[in-house]
Amino acid sequence: MTRLAMVLDLDRCIGCWACAVACKQENSIGEGLWWQKVDTVGGETIDTSVGVFPDVRKYYQPRNCFHCADAPCIPVCPTNAIVKRDDGIVEIKQELCVGCGKCEPACPFDAIEMNVVAPLLPPGLEKGHGAAEVQPRVAGVVEKCSFCSHRVDAGQDPACVAACPTQVITFGDVDNPESRVAAARRSPGAFRLGEDTGADPSVWFLPATQGELQRRSGKPSGSTAPRKPKGLS
Amino acid sequence: RMAKSNSSVSPEQVVNTVCAHNCGGRSRLACTVRDGVLVRVEPAPAPDDAYTGLCVRCLTLPQWVYSKERIKTPMRRVGPRGSGQFVPISWDEALDEIVDRFNALIDAHGSSSIAFVRSTSASPIASYTRLASLLGGGGTSNFYGGVDMAVHMGLNSTFGDKGMYGQHSNEWTDRLNSKLTIVWGHNPAETAMTAMRHLLNARDAGCQVVVIDPRYSATAMHANWWIAPRPGSDLALALGLLHVLIVEGLIDRPFLFDHSCAPFLVRTDSGKYFRSGDASTSEKPSAPQVWDLHSGRAVELNSTAAPALEGRFEVNGVSVATAFTLLTDSVAKYTPSHVAELTGLDASDIVDLARTYAKAGPAQIGLGYGVDRYKHSELFARAAAAIAIVTGNIGKPGAGVGVQSHYHGSHPARLGPGPALPKWASTKPVPMIEVGRRDLPVRAVFCQGDWINQRMGDMNTSLAYLKTLEFVVTVDHFFQTTTQWSDIVLPACTFLEDNSAARDALVFGNSIYLRPKVIDPVGEARTDFEIERDLARRFGLGEWFRESSEDVVRGQIDGARDPAFDNITYDQVVQAGGAIRLNVPTTPHVQYGNDGFTTKSGRAEFYIEELAELGEALPAFVADHEALLTHALAERYPMLLVQTHARQRAHSTFFNTAWTLEIWPEPILEMNPDDARQRGLANGEMAEAYNDRGHVVARVVCNPDFPPGMCNITEGWKQQQYADGNVQELTNSEINAGQTLIWGHANIPFFDTRVEIRPAALKRQGAEA
């Protein structure tokens, strides 16, 4: 059997969002929706760490649909609009979706979003952008990452894989032991999110260890309390 | 599975080109054009596969080109200056008005009353320089310089002048040959993302990556060793490393003898080199002499087999010392414990870094522009270069020192010359940092790009200067700050738009690349080539301009005499799809591997005699810059404000791209959570940063990646994107005397900016900018 999968080496991710923007462009996704996101694992807001300087820590974790082998979104769909292809890609058939929204909470990974309004595209690109093979997005249906099935069918890597400047993502048939993605999956420490869900996701991560392993030198430069009024007007 | 129907798909084509923006990555781009619209950008294979790839900025090119800020027609100002009120006019009207106004000013006040200035936020191709040098019989003013040059000045002084942004570092791919690389004030993970792959490849292959940065950057988080000195203290750290290397004898004596100024004798009275005939001081300068250990005399370098590396001597009553002895003595006071006080590091870390670097094997020092934007950054670069020189860590695979944030450092090759210019064609240089700060004859400025927002510090002074001008013309893609203050605005094509088959040619990534037309011009935009040519014709200077840019490019490739171009013609490059690998070695380019240094002595010169009068013949820690806690302003303005580069922009280019604005929507003021708390500020609240020069209002983000006392607003936001003020109102434009003495201009020290921060009332800015 073919099982298309991804392995993301988090020790090479720089949080640049090229994967996510390439995805948005390729699939003509409207304002406010992202099929791929890059989580900052650290502080409260994007690009911030947790901790006290210089003992701080953060890493980046791109996240898309995990194309689970036992995808929980499929059985809850009343119109059979979500299907699993023979190669493992979990795909939404837009023309069958009635927008009931049952699949959204069924996904343990928050990978499905409702396109509530007609997609808003940037000026000059209102007729759509990205691949011609991608169906125009419409209001009232759910959407999510397709592993760029149209590119896979043409023998290409998904747009996120092609765009990543630091080559974080390995893509291919994880059931083929000779494949690069199978080798990457066998790397020490490889893990998946949501092992306990039983969904059997097809996206693995290699852990971000550099921040823990690295040596650090330096200390805070001292008090920087705000200046006192001292009679200044 | 059935393929989706393509019946409704409109005709499309894919055109390959090369990104033109100022991160320097020069990504090769496959551009999908459907119904004449650029709808997709993907990486295109580069002739040298190491350079296939792009970054998030390239991906936003389709919305950049069509953004709502795009200028579609020539415009004339109708409201008061700065009001932003314009009406469309025809190209003929616009060009005629420019020519009439410029001619009248040149007649009345001379050609120096016209100035040309450019910023990379507009078309990045060198334009209008021919017109500038021909106009008014030569002698128009040229505002040049700006920022990100100080480290280049320091490296140029040491190794020989390679031009304003001259590269001295090895090729990105050479990092694989290094056992250790010190990434110093350089953050490719956020500034030059396509360079980061090579650093990660080296790390994953076992090269130890040391990042020196006061902030936990996205590059620092990937390092084996992150070192966080106090902001602005990098020079002290470099001198401390030199101290340890020399005291512990971790030096490469053969390299110092053969390839550096180390054995040259220096007069201790004047700081000048000791030369033959020096006692009479009447003769022309000859080569510096050395001390011959056999005869105990000062002699010419090439007449002794035993020059002294160290020592103080007397020649005809003149006290002399070797340059190396002076270096040794000058760093004597930068002991690990003293440098620990200056930098906030532990003394043991300084000792360990010096030993680790010296003993690792081939090691590189890669500099970025985070260490460029302090007042004395040229001295820092000279000290960093001296570290490589004393250890002989230069000119070998895996060994080198240089700026790595900009361009690949791949094998150089020279294109053929462009069309000739008459001998009298010239411009009068005016250092950018002095514009608005001294009297100039300039009455009209021809601007390419958003010069005022991006290239000048102390923005209120710059804007006051702009208001004194009689006539301002701006060529740009988008309405920005400088366009708002202009009288005539001209719409320029981006690098993706053209009417000509070849817009320009460039050598990059061991290849020759063409930029062809990808899409038709947007609106009535014209290429800079056409605008310059048509202005020149109206000035009666048309004979010096070719009909099309393709003519120029063909001449540059077919006329190239560099062996790298042997058997490569323009037509072949076109047939190959616009890129061909040059005839250059397949191993990574190593600077100074085969070529000597291009200094006067042909050696690496850590000693600069011309700077003796300023006490800077050797790099010293001149602790007078605003960034330091010891500065007089530090009590009143306890926070140091820097401007890191943002992932979404190359400087200010891409300020207007919708997809990345969804991710990073507005200017944010990042600071250590303790600093925020002490000022009664919390995440998401609006705060005002202010000093005597100006202010800015932005949303607070508490981020412990920054040390206490340091705050940040990424550079390149535009006036209209701030809630109030502008980060450039706050920045410093103090002039460095040493840079001016050697280079005729000085770098703008944007990071020598102290501020205080307080909560801000939420209010939108008024109409007046």
Side-chain angles (χ1 to χ4, degrees):
Chain A
M1 281 287 282
T2 299
R3 181 180 183 180
L4 293 178
M6 284 181 179
V7 178
L8 289 86
D9 183 353
L10 301 184
D11 256 343
R12 292 181 67 96
C13 181
I14 56 175
C16 73
W17 287 68
C19 53
V21 171
C23 165
K24 191 150 176 149
Q25 171 180 253
E26 177 76 12
N27 294 292
S28 206
I29 301 168
E31 184 183 314
L33 289 182
W34 296 86
W35 292 2
Q36 171 102 340
K37 289 178 183 168
V38 182
D39 293 338
T40 305
V41 184
E44 285 172 37
T45 50
I46 183 170
D47 299 326
T48 66
S49 284
V50 66
V52 176
F53 186 93
D55 300 315
V56 292
R57 182 81 211 280
K58 73 177 167 201
Y59 64 91
Y60 292 103
Q61 185 157 33
R63 206 158 45 79
N64 53 344
C65 169
F66 292 161
H67 297 269
C68 306
D70 195 3
C73 54
I74 293 176
V76 300
C77 176
T79 59
N80 297 323
I82 310 180
V83 296
K84 189 157 192 66
R85 299 182 3 158
D86 291 344
D87 57 9
I89 293 179
V90 175
E91 198 162 53
I92 294 175
K93 295 209 167 293
Q94 199 168 283
E95 61 276 16
L96 296 179
C97 176
V98 293
C100 70
K102 287 188 173 144
C103 53
E104 281 184 81
C107 174
F109 308 112
D110 219 8
I112 307 176
E113 277 192 277
M114 182 71 72
N115 205 346
V116 178
V117 296
L120 186 62
L121 300 176
L125 302 168
E126 293 89 350
K127 290 182 180 170
H129 46 72
E133 297 83 358
V134 170
Q135 283 178 292
R137 316 249 73 81
V138 294
V141 298
V142 290
E143 48 183 79
K144 69 163 192 68
C145 157
S146 66
F147 264 2
C148 285
S149 55
H150 61 285
R151 292 175 64 100
V152 169
D153 292 343
Q156 295 176 305
D157 277 339
C160 56
V161 179
C164 175
T166 54
Q167 298 168 323
V168 167
I169 313 172
T170 308
F171 178 79
D173 177 12
V174 77
D175 279 357
N176 172 7
E178 307 295 310
S179 68
R180 285 177 58 237
V181 72
R185 184 199 154 175
R186 291 191 295 267
S187 302
F191 71 96
R192 292 186 294 186
L193 294 178
E195 285 286 5
D196 57 338
T197 62
D200 195 4
S202 298
V203 174
W204 279 262
F205 298 94
L206 306 184
T209 56
Q210 200 64 42
E212 283 163 11
L213 295 174
Q214 77 181 181
R215 176 177 171 183
R216 292 179 179 183
S217 305
K219 45 183 179 279
S221 46
S223 167
T224 61
R227 73 176 163 120
K228 306 222 164 48
K230 272 187 188 168
L232 290 167
S233 58
Chain B
R1 179 179 166 272
M2 297 281 288
K4 280 174 187 156
S5 167
N6 277 4
S7 59
S8 64
V9 171
S10 49
E12 67 177 35
Q13 60 173 147
V14 176
V15 184
N16 290 344
T17 187
V18 186
C19 190
H21 292 298
N22 202 31
C23 76
R26 297 295 177 265
S27 294
R28 187 150 162 76
L29 308 173
C31 300
T32 304
V33 180
R34 190 178 306 137
D35 285 339
V37 176
L38 175 66
V39 293
R40 173 168 61 182
V41 172
E42 297 174 273
D48 183 335
D49 187 51
Y51 301 112
T52 300
L54 47 58
C55 81
V56 68
R57 301 165 192 145
C58 307
L59 291 164
T60 62
L61 283 167
Q63 45 191 273
W64 178 74
V65 164
Y66 304 116
S67 97
K68 62 184 191 320
E69 289 84 3
R70 191 72 199 262
I71 306 164
K72 301 269 178 64
T73 68
M75 312 279 270
R76 178 189 286 127
R77 175 174 66 82
V78 288
R81 264 266 176 86
S83 66
Q85 296 171 49
F86 293 91
V87 291
I89 54 173
S90 73
W91 272 103
D92 279 342
E93 280 179 271
L95 297 181
D96 285 344
E97 180 163 341
I98 294 165
V99 171
D100 289 347
R101 294 290 296 269
F102 278 14
N103 275 336
L105 283 168
I106 291 168
D107 286 347
H109 305 287
S111 45
S112 62
S113 62
I114 311 291
F116 284 73
V117 62
R118 53 192 297 274
S119 159
T120 59
S121 69
S123 171
I125 295 120
S127 306
Y128 309 104
T129 52
R130 295 178 69 79
L131 179 61
S133 60
L134 289 161
L135 197 60
T140 59
S141 300
N142 169 28
F143 295 169
Y144 80 109
V147 72
D148 295 343
M149 301 175 304
V151 285
H152 294 282
M153 291 172 178
L155 295 167
N156 283 348
S157 291
T158 308
F159 300 125
D161 189 0
K162 284 179 174 284
M164 194 185 282
Y165 292 101
Q167 300 300 298
H168 299 269
S169 58
N170 297 354
E171 189 167 356
W172 285 350
T173 47
D174 183 54
R175 285 168 170 157
L176 278 173
N177 295 320
S178 298
K179 297 293 184 195
L180 178 138
T181 180
I182 297 179
V183 181
W184 202 328
H186 175 30
N187 180 20
E190 294 171 68
T191 63
M193 283 85 100
T194 50
M196 189 64 184
R197 179 199 309 172
H198 301 283
L199 189 64
L200 292 168
N201 289 350
R203 184 202 64 187
D204 290 351
C207 170
Q208 194 177 358
V209 174
V210 181
V211 170
I212 302 179
D213 194 323
R215 159 199 178 218
Y216 193 57
S217 70
T219 304
M221 63 187 265
H222 288 291
N224 301 96
W225 186 3
W226 169 42
I227 297 174
R230 201 169 282 152
S233 71
D234 305 270
L235 176 50
L237 176 56
L239 295 168
L241 296 176
L242 274 172
H243 173 98
V244 176
L245 293 169
I246 293 174
V247 165
E248 300 197 357
L250 299 169
I251 61 172
D252 184 338
R253 297 179 74 91
F255 185 89
L256 285 167
F257 274 122
D258 296 339
H259 301 292
S260 85
C261 65
F264 289 159
L265 295 175
V266 176
R267 296 176 60 118
T268 54
D269 55 354
S270 65
K272 302 286 185 189
Y273 278 130
F274 183 85
R275 298 181 163 86
S276 62
D278 220 41
S280 69
T281 68
S282 62
E283 293 178 25
K284 272 198 296 186
S286 52
Q289 294 202 324
V290 299
W291 187 260
D292 179 27
L293 287 169
H294 287 159
S295 64
R297 291 187 306 123
V299 298
E300 300 296 323
L301 178 69
N302 56 13
S303 66
T304 171
L309 187 63
E310 292 117 333
R312 291 179 177 276
F313 313 98
E314 224 172 86
V315 188
N316 302 335
V318 177
S319 294
V320 296
T322 69
F324 186 70
T325 285
L326 293 180
L327 176 69
T328 302
D329 291 353
S330 78
V331 299
K333 67 181 171 206
Y334 299 103
T335 61
S337 58
H338 180 47
V339 171
E341 284 168 25
L342 296 172
T343 60
L345 300 171
D346 288 339
S348 60
D349 286 328
I350 296 159
V351 173
D352 200 15
L353 177 59
R355 290 176 184 166
T356 305
Y357 168 79
K359 295 174 180 173
Q364 301 202 42
I365 302 175
L367 309 178
Y369 295 135
V371 281
D372 179 86
R373 295 175 166 199
Y374 300 104
K375 184 179 169 192
H376 298 290
S377 295
E378 89 289 5
L379 297 178
F380 163 76
R382 288 177 54 206
I387 290 170
I389 294 167
V390 300
T391 55
N393 245 325
I394 193 163
K396 299 178 285 200
V401 57
V403 175
Q404 285 186 329
S405 67
H406 217 57
Y407 307 131
H408 309 154
S410 53
H411 292 279
R414 196 181 288 271
L415 281 160
L421 278 172
K423 281 210 176 79
W424 49 263
S426 64
T427 54
K428 280 188 185 157
V430 178
M432 191 92 71
I433 196 168
E434 295 177 11
V435 172
R437 285 130 188 116
R438 70 171 167 91
D439 283 340
L440 296 171
V442 175
R443 290 164 182 262
V445 175
F446 188 98
C447 315
Q448 193 189 5
D450 195 5
W451 154 59
I452 285 291
N453 194 71
Q454 203 52 37
R455 296 206 69 176
M456 299 278 278
D458 188 4
M459 188 169 185
N460 285 323
T461 302
S462 311
L463 278 178
Y465 173 74
L466 206 57
K467 290 175 194 175
T468 68
L469 295 171
E470 291 174 31
F471 188 53
V472 177
V473 179
T474 297
V475 186
D476 207 335
H477 311 313
F478 308 108
F479 277 107
Q480 307 185 60
T481 306
T482 310
T483 42
Q484 182 171 344
W485 291 90
S486 301
D487 301 290
I488 297 282
V489 175
L490 303 177
C493 288
T494 68
F495 75 94
L496 297 157
E497 304 149 47
D498 216 318
N499 292 310
S500 165
R503 187 187 175 97
D504 62 350
L506 67 163
V507 171
F508 258 99
N510 301 316
S511 307
I512 172 72
Y513 292 119
L514 295 182
R515 287 204 184 94
K517 168 185 172 170
V518 176
I519 53 173
D520 288 331
V522 169
E524 294 177 26
R526 292 185 180 176
T527 64
D528 294 303
F529 181 91
E530 295 169 304
I531 298 168
E532 185 177 16
R533 178 199 65 193
D534 293 348
L535 279 169
R537 286 176 178 167
R538 281 169 161 79
F539 281 115
L541 298 165
E543 63 182 298
W544 303 105
F545 290 80
R546 295 277 171 84
E547 181 59 32
S548 81
S549 51
E550 185 186 355
D551 298 344
V552 178
V553 172
R554 182 184 287 276
Q556 285 179 305
I557 294 177
D558 293 347
R561 288 185 290 273
D562 192 310
F565 281 91
D566 282 353
N567 302 313
I568 292 176
T569 65
Y570 171 77
D571 289 331
Q572 282 175 336
V573 186
V574 172
Q575 276 165 16
I580 289 184
R581 199 178 200 289
L582 289 164
N583 303 310
V584 294
T586 52
T587 49
H589 181 236
V590 174
Q591 281 281 357
Y592 307 120
N594 301 316
D595 317 326
F597 302 106
T598 53
T599 52
K600 267 183 289 183
S601 67
R603 289 164 167 254
E605 296 183 352
F606 53 78
Y607 190 91
I608 310 292
E609 61 178 336
E610 290 85 354
L611 286 166
E613 61 190 84
L614 294 176
E616 296 176 2
L618 289 162
F621 187 51
V622 186
D624 67 346
H625 50 302
E626 198 172 305
L628 297 177
L629 286 168
T630 47
H631 193 273
L633 284 174
E635 191 184 346
R636 194 162 167 208
Y637 297 117
M639 300 293 292
L640 174 68
L641 173 68
V642 298
Q643 297 178 60
T644 63
H645 290 226
R647 294 173 175 90
Q648 73 207 98
R649 295 181 299 273
H651 295 308
S652 69
T653 308
F654 304 117
F655 76 95
N656 50 344
T657 48
W659 294 327
T660 44
L661 282 168
E662 270 191 55
I663 306 165
W664 300 285
E666 60 179 346
I668 56 170
L669 177 57
E670 294 177 272
M671 68 181 98
N672 188 280
D674 285 343
D675 287 329
R677 208 172 297 123
Q678 286 171 5
R679 288 161 178 78
L681 289 163
N683 244 347
E685 293 180 347
M686 301 302 283
E688 178 189 33
Y690 64 95
N691 61 19
D692 292 345
R693 295 183 285 263
H695 81 140
V696 67
V697 173
R699 195 173 303 283
V700 170
V701 168
C702 296
N703 188 354
D705 291 342
F706 288 87
M710 186 180 192
C711 60
N712 181 49
I713 295 177
T714 56
E715 64 151 29
W717 295 100
K718 295 296 176 182
Q719 191 78 48
Q720 65 266 29
Q721 293 174 306
Y722 288 106
D724 200 8
N726 188 314
V727 72
Q728 290 286 53
E729 288 185 15
L730 297 157
T731 48
N732 191 348
S733 58
E734 189 178 350
I735 294 174
N736 173 319
Q739 293 178 5
T740 306
L741 180 69
I742 299 293
W743 299 102
H745 63 112
N747 199 49
I748 300 175
F750 280 163
F751 288 5
D752 276 319
T753 295
R754 293 211 147 269
V755 299
E756 179 52 301
I757 295 169
R758 61 190 168 202
L762 260 175
K763 67 175 171 67
R764 277 301 297 186
Q765 194 166 5
E768 176 71 6

